[in-house]
Amino acid sequence: MTQPLTSQRASREPASGYVGSSVPRVEDVPLLTGGGAFVDDIDRPGQLYARVVRSSVGHGRLLGVDAAAALARPGVVAVVTGADIPDVRIPIRVAPTPAAERALQPPLARDRVRYVGEPVAVVVATDPYLAEDAADDVAPEVEPLPVVADVDAAVDGAIALHERVPDNVVDAARIRNGGDVDELFAGAAVVDRAVLSVQRHTAIPLEARGLIAEPGGGHVLTVWGPAKVKHFNRAILATMLGLEPEAIRFLEPNVGGGFGPRGEFYPEDFLIPWLALRLGRPVKWIEDRREHFVATNHSREQRCEIAMAADADGRLVAFRAVTRVALGAYTRTHGMVLAKNTLSHLAGPYRWQGFEAEALGVLLNKTPAGTYRGPGQYEPAFIRERMVDRLAARLGLDPAEMRRRNLVPVERMPYTVALGESEPEVIYDTGNFPYLFGRLLEEAGYDDLRAQARARRDRGEAVGVGVAAFVEAGAIGGEEWARIEAGGDGRFVVHAGIASVGQGIATTLSQIAADALGVPIDAIEVSHADTDAVPEGRGAFSSRSIVFGGSAVLGAAHDLLRNARAAAAAELGVAPDEVEVADGVVRALSGPQRTVPLGTVQCEGRHHFRKSARSWSMGAALAVASVDRDTAATTVERCVVACDVGRAINPQIVHAQIVGAAAQGIAGALLEELRHDDEGQPLTTSFMDYLMPTAAELPEIVPVVLELEQHRKESANPLGAKGAGEAGIVGIGAAVAGAVADAVGDPAAVSALPARPDRIGDAYGGWRDFVFDRQAART
């Protein structure tokens, strides 16, 4: 399925040591040999089992919860409703605004239910199957209210979900750049307008969520299961329980996939610990797959009205857009981040004379939304690149040439994109956009692919080529912490605030530490799972693990070397400035040439790495797709993704990240969709109706990893790295859509994702008649 290309270093500097080498992942041996411990593998003595009772109504007044039948079952310990727990709300972690805080979610519904799947009660029993049966006995009494399930219908305010948000718009973000947009449109040679939309879907990790909470044991509470942002979650839980954070110990087990939704603070993250404290016993909760579809964060759903203009030479002039971002029934931990990310990425890697755009965060009776790999990046890439394709067609330009003419040139770097007074400016500080895009076309053989597509269309096939260029903001979070201990036994323990969600962080941090200390990689152990050992950290999100976590580890290694010189100097009987550390050995520079192995010197190093600005990188994607003329079903035949990662600590891991992300992007472009009916009832709650690709449906995916070192600023981070975990997905929806539109010969054929057969047939004039005629002829 994949054909990994060797990372391209524009500076041609040779790789040395572990950094830059495809070291096998150190965390894989226990996973491959059955030694891993996922949350459902963990059991505590005397534990109870929780099952969440969820609303089956999309919107209604919660009049009461009848738990009598459940409580009558032997082995049922408790049934808890909203009236039994403190009146608390789950706070916003990212992009909070006072307006967005008007629609925060309680852990259990109190007076009203607002989406199918909202928790209304929790059953606790001595056996998990008993808990499930008892949960079926709990009867919420709900008086149905009118449902708003469409993002456009929500904003008219006819049906208000929250009294404090009468128009269902929790907040709005706005950007503006350059000159008078009306004048720019008036003077443009071509203007195109469209309504484009991206569907609601979500991450589908192999392992659904789970949690175990146990009182006592040296802490008020110990919790197994948190991942991604465990220190934030610990602080929030402590506040909600009225405890100090240090009274709670979080333990991060192995995680069977993250991709954004996994590890945020959900209602269950309060309920299970609260129940453990109340009942004085360990409580375990494991989410099943149907629950995952209605309870874990959804993402992506947007509808954008956009106009875009260009001059006669194909130079982009201006755009104006209003996008409605569906947040679901409550604002969860990501607040307005989806809307704000959409706006900051909408301009892409191009030069504009001016633009203005608005993004509304809209409430509706569906599962609340959060992030999914490439949040607020995948969506605007689809919107912008579809419009660029449409303008190129109207001007008679090749889609790739249209992009070449508008990419920010290297001589303009660093390039600043002002977004107005209310949003921070975007600064593309490093990179070579035209070079990267050219490399994509070169590696893919773009001209040959276009010629082959034309020849196949001449033979009656529907086949096309699509391209997309995009920018990606990563590495947010401000700071990260690391500590390295030299235990005196030849080994080093790297304590890092970064979490593991499957991205190979133990391997890459080991590579960085081993090189910096001059020791073998098997002398390094990475510790990130226990908040007792790692008292602070920001976690794993926004492709920040290497930029922040790796830089913190590098700084801690340098601090350890300084401290080791002082400690070893005393042992060697010389002054600290008379010793050196090289290749894992501390050596006296004066007197007898005595040495001390670095690993035997008991010392440690600490470092806080801080960086305020986001790291921006550019990428590009290409897809070849064919459309079946009988069924209008699409097959992606080839996919190439290029991205500038600054520096690949482990090229094999980077390749795998890009390929995996691209596979998810193809799935979102063609298959995955969380659909609801007009009453807010989910229509996709199992793998029977939520379509996911297998290896048989995925094409060859070629990652082109560029390390554009001559454009790297070491001041941005000492490793010179950029994020790579999300780059593979951002442009795929746009590239696949462009390929499908090219295949059917209509630049406007794909205005919504996923590009389902019925949508292609509706968009492409005469397609349904063509299919009907062929089927009739067969009959």
Side-chain angles (χ1 to χ4, degrees), residues 522-533:
D522 57 10
I524 305 295
E525 175 188 345
V526 175
S527 164
H528 58 77
D530 186 344
T531 55
D532 275 5

Side-chain angles (χ1 to χ4, degrees), residues 3 5-6 8 12 400 404 433-450 452 465 467 620-622 638 640-642 702-704 706 708:
Q3 177 188 328
L5 298 179
T6 302
Q8 304 296 317
R12 304 299 179 190
R404 280 195 191 99
F433 293 2
Y435 174 80
L436 184 145
F437 190 67
R439 286 301 306 276
L440 171 85
L441 302 181
E442 176 187 345
E443 296 288 352
Y446 177 74
D447 292 337
D448 288 344
L449 291 176
R450 294 282 290 179
Q452 293 167 18
V465 181
V467 293
L622 177 146
R638 183 172 168 81
V640 184
V641 183
V702 180
V704 181
L706 301 179
L708 302 183

Side-chain angles (χ1 to χ4, degrees), residues 229-279:
V229 288
K230 56 184 173 290
H231 293 91
F232 173 85
N233 285 3
R234 182 180 69 155
I236 292 306
L237 177 61
T239 299
M240 296 173 77
L241 294 174
L243 300 171
E244 292 298 321
E246 294 73 22
I248 303 174
R249 182 187 187 189
F250 270 17
L251 293 168
E252 176 191 330
N254 292 127
V255 176
F259 313 120
R262 183 66 179 271
E264 291 297 330
F265 200 98
Y266 289 91
E268 297 84 4
D269 292 282
F270 170 81
L271 294 170
I272 304 308
W274 183 86
L275 284 165
L277 289 178
R278 180 182 181 183
L279 299 173

Side-chain angles (χ1 to χ4, degrees), residues 315-317 349-353 405-409 412 415:
R315 308 290 182 183
L316 295 170
V317 173
Y350 307 125
R351 290 170 292 170
W352 300 89
Q353 296 180 36
R405 296 184 184 187
N406 290 283
L407 290 169
V408 175
R412 295 286 300 275
Y415 187 80

Side-chain angles (χ1 to χ4, degrees), residues 427-498:
I427 302 176
Y428 305 146
D429 57 344
T430 64
N432 187 332
F433 293 2
Y435 174 80
L436 184 145
F437 190 67
R439 286 301 306 276
L440 171 85
L441 302 181
E442 176 187 345
E443 296 288 352
Y446 177 74
D447 292 337
D448 288 344
L449 291 176
R450 294 282 290 179
Q452 293 167 18
R454 286 192 295 269
R456 291 172 64 181
R457 286 197 293 268
D458 289 343
R459 297 195 296 268
E461 295 184 70
V463 60
V465 181
V467 293
F470 60 87
V471 289
E472 177 200 0
I476 64 172
E479 63 179 344
E480 196 50 80
W481 174 92
R483 176 171 65 92
I484 304 180
E485 292 179 288
D489 60 355
R491 295 187 59 78
F492 301 83
V493 181
V494 175
H495 300 284
I498 290 294

Side-chain angles (χ1 to χ4, degrees), residues 14-63:
S16 62
Y18 293 107
V19 171
S21 301
S22 293
V23 175
R25 285 172 38 123
V26 301
E27 52 266 90
D28 285 354
V29 171
L31 298 176
L32 294 171
T33 57
F38 298 84
V39 65
D40 200 19
D41 296 322
I42 300 167
D43 291 297
R44 304 301 297 167
Q47 73 187 14
L48 300 170
Y49 298 85
R51 188 70 181 170
V52 180
V53 180
R54 302 183 183 278
S55 173
S56 60
V57 176
H59 193 198
R61 293 186 182 88
L62 182 59
L63 305 179

Side-chain angles (χ1 to χ4, degrees), residues 23 37 110 289 526 769:
V23 175
R110 302 185 73 82
R289 186 58 65 183
V526 175
D769 292 338

